[in-house]
Amino acid sequence: MSDGARQTNSRVQGSRIDPYFDQYAERARGMVASEIRALFAVTARPEIVSLAGGSPYVSALPLDAVGELVGKLVADHGATALQYCTAQGDVGLREKICDVMSLEGIRAHPDDVVVTVGSQQALDLITRIFIDPGDVILAEAPSYVGALGSFAAYQADVVHVPMDEDGLIPEALEQAIERVTASGRRIKFLYTVPNHHNPAGVTLSEERRPRILQICQSAGVLILEDNPYGLLGFDGEPLRALRADDAEGVVYLGSFSKTFASGVRVGWATAPPAIRDKLILAAESAVLCHPMFSQLAVREYFETQPWQEQIKAFRELYRQRRDAMLESLDAQLSDSCYWTVPAGGFYVWLRLPEGVHSKAMLPRAVSSRVAYVPGTGFYADGGGADHLRLSYCFPEPDRIREGVRRLASVIEAEIDLTATFGPIPPGHRTGAETPGPGDL
Ligand SMILES: Cc1ncc(COP(=O)(O)O)c(C=O)c1O
């Protein structure tokens, strides 16, 4: 066969799925649909109680006031709001960001801040400027699925570090650093979500924070502190950020998605000057600049609206939903499962009875009209099958109770199934890898 014929032939064969399959860059192999994305289409069906997605309850915002503010923004400052801006972001917004961070003990200058399209873009940019294929990132076990997606896209080698109910375990971190260093590989950074962890629902204790900083300082490991939920604690004052005690060794990521609105897509990175400069260059090549309209809407909201009161209202709303979930779990599943008790944020992390596989169970759960996220989405190393993530942020308390009731009967049936047929062997692929709407 001639080369031309072979090419045409492979194109024809490939076209059944993806005609460009052989042409993608190596790094595109790491880009696979997250479990959450595949679920979105299914969980939008009204008959399904979704305890899966982590969407904030934006309907609790004063929408009329926000609407008025946006209208006024265009009428009074349209020529600026509808224009390009610098890649570092609007300076007035960066000043507001410094005010917000001061609630967690951070003293930063607006020059230290780079505005991003949600903190997700900050994760992407940081990974882009630090990671060559095969470089090691230390990350909690489990870890936020969107961060793992960015790490995979840049072909990082993620080494998980265990947590317990007080967050990241310092001794385990020390051991992981020793192990990776002894293998001759370089750790580029530690990725951590210290407050109201997604998905684990735990918070790094006050006592452990200086120890984590000290371990990373003495090993020369940069910390990437991702903190979208820090102001959403249900009791007491926000904890002091890691960045508050180490301006040189920590890159701090923040977001307005959970304290204001996820749809404005405004987040930020606060970084030491050299990293900040690289971030600005990376942002410039990615998007030129971030939407000025969104930035000014957020700035206006934080300048003119009672935002601290609104955060209190969000906290109360989420606390009620958390309580509804915990009470239902206690009533329905206390004989068979364990779960974390979050002191803030959106998530409960539930451990299933032995032998029950969260991903294998998902299609049956969706048939029973309840959805969750299987634990496997939060591990880069194939772990997590014995866990699942439940979110209480979006559904009303009655729907949460109904969802947990449905989930409890699915788990019960699964226990019977496992008792009859035995557990799924470790490493077995269940066929529910990335469930699309048609699969479920
Ligand atoms: C831990 C964590 N980091 C980052 C993000 C991304 O948030 P955003 O891009 O909306 O700021 C999320 C979103 O759920 C998250 O839970």
Side-chain angles (χ1 to χ4, degrees):
M1 199 192 305
S2 74
D3 275 358
R6 196 176 294 124
Q7 234 173 24
T8 314
N9 200 14
S10 84
R11 188 70 172 264
V12 169
Q13 278 173 4
S15 71
R16 281 188 297 137
I17 303 171
D18 179 353
Y20 297 100
F21 182 79
D22 292 336
Q23 295 179 47
Y24 294 122
E26 184 63 26
R27 79 185 78 86
R29 283 177 200 273
M31 297 176 186
V32 291
S34 83
E35 325 236 346
I36 293 179
R37 186 167 113 197
L39 271 172
F40 258 124
V42 181
T43 57
R45 292 194 213 141
E47 71 274 19
I48 292 182
V49 177
S50 176
L51 306 174
S55 300
Y57 194 69
V58 291
S59 307
L61 285 165
L63 294 178
D64 287 346
V66 175
E68 212 172 292
L69 167 162
V70 168
K72 221 166 134 15
L73 175 62
V74 176
D76 296 350
H77 305 286
T80 318
L82 301 174
Q83 189 52 278
Y84 290 120
C85 65
T86 67
Q88 189 169 3
D90 174 66
V91 68
L93 175 63
R94 287 187 276 121
E95 279 164 12
K96 275 285 135 212
I97 287 172
C98 291
D99 292 347
V100 173
M101 289 192 296
S102 70
L103 299 176
E104 296 176 322
I106 294 175
R107 289 177 54 212
H109 190 275
D111 286 355
D112 304 329
V113 176
V114 181
V115 177
T116 54
V117 181
S119 50
Q120 185 65 40
Q121 194 203 18
L123 278 166
D124 181 86
L125 296 178
I126 286 285
T127 315
R128 183 191 302 197
I129 64 178
F130 276 101
I131 297 299
D132 286 317
D135 281 347
V136 173
I137 297 173
L138 299 178
E140 290 149 333
S143 268
Y144 164 56
V145 63
L148 294 181
S150 289
F151 302 162
Y154 292 99
Q155 299 166 284
D157 184 2
V158 174
V159 173
H160 282 297
V161 185
M163 288 190 287
D164 60 19
E165 62 278 8
D166 287 326
L168 194 62
I169 303 171
E171 297 72 32
L173 174 62
E174 267 177 325
Q175 286 160 14
I177 292 174
E178 269 168 35
R179 245 191 355 262
V180 174
T181 312
S183 73
R185 289 176 306 157
R186 189 131 176 251
I187 299 165
K188 288 293 177 77
F189 55 81
L190 163 71
Y191 171 68
T192 177
V193 178
N195 298 312
H196 317 306
H197 191 275
N198 178 6
V202 299
T203 289
L204 182 65
S205 68
E206 239 173 321
E207 297 71 41
R208 282 188 183 174
R209 290 180 185 230
R211 182 89 187 98
I212 297 290
L213 281 172
Q214 184 251 319
I215 291 169
C216 287
Q217 277 160 2
S218 56
V221 172
L222 176 72
I223 297 177
L224 184 54
E225 177 179 27
D226 184 12
N227 188 30
Y229 306 100
L231 299 183
L232 292 180
F234 302 141
D235 312 292
E237 294 301 308
L239 289 181
R240 202 171 161 76
L242 296 169
R243 165 62 172 72
D245 293 311
D246 186 355
E248 288 306 310
V250 179
V251 174
Y252 175 98
L253 307 188
S255 173
F256 290 114
S257 287
K258 321 292 171 163
T259 50
F260 175 37
S262 48
V264 293
R265 307 305 302 129
V266 179
W268 70 91
T270 302
I275 298 178
R276 176 212 53 205
D277 289 350
K278 290 272 185 231
L279 275 174
I280 295 170
L281 292 173
E284 226 160 39
S285 82
V287 290
L288 285 185
C289 66
H290 304 98
M292 190 57 166
F293 184 72
S294 274
Q295 293 185 65
L296 291 193
V298 173
R299 173 177 157 186
E300 203 60 23
Y301 174 82
F302 278 78
E303 274 174 358
T304 63
Q305 300 297 308
W307 60 273
Q308 303 230 36
E309 290 308 307
Q310 181 58 41
I311 291 178
K312 271 192 205 145
F314 275 134
R315 283 204 292 250
E316 198 40 48
L317 181 121
Y318 294 134
R319 179 216 292 278
Q320 283 170 14
R321 291 175 185 203
R322 183 231 18 206
D323 290 347
M325 178 168 278
L326 292 179
E327 280 158 23
S328 309
L329 288 169
D330 273 334
Q332 314 271 345
L333 281 165
S334 56
D335 288 344
S336 54
C337 299
Y338 296 91
W339 52 87
T340 52
V341 175
F346 290 2
Y347 310 105
V348 168
W349 184 234
L350 180 139
R351 195 172 98 210
L352 290 162
E354 184 141 5
V356 176
H357 191 294
S358 61
K359 204 195 275 184
M361 187 173 75
L362 183 62
R364 293 185 276 282
V366 173
S367 303
S368 300
R369 294 171 296 126
V370 61
Y372 58 81
V373 184
T376 43
F378 304 98
Y379 283 79
D381 61 4
D386 55 347
H387 276 82
L388 53 86
R389 189 192 77 179
L390 299 174
S391 312
Y392 49 80
C393 43
F394 197 77
E396 308 269 346
D398 278 349
R399 293 280 285 171
I400 292 174
R401 290 186 194 99
E402 177 58 23
V404 173
R405 201 185 57 69
R406 291 178 191 175
L407 179 67
S409 32
V410 173
I411 292 177
E412 228 168 80
E414 208 72 7
I415 294 171
D416 287 348
L417 210 66
T418 310
T420 311
F421 297 107
I424 293 172
H428 179 84
R429 295 184 94 74
T430 60
E433 193 70 32
T434 43
D439 302 326
L440 301 175

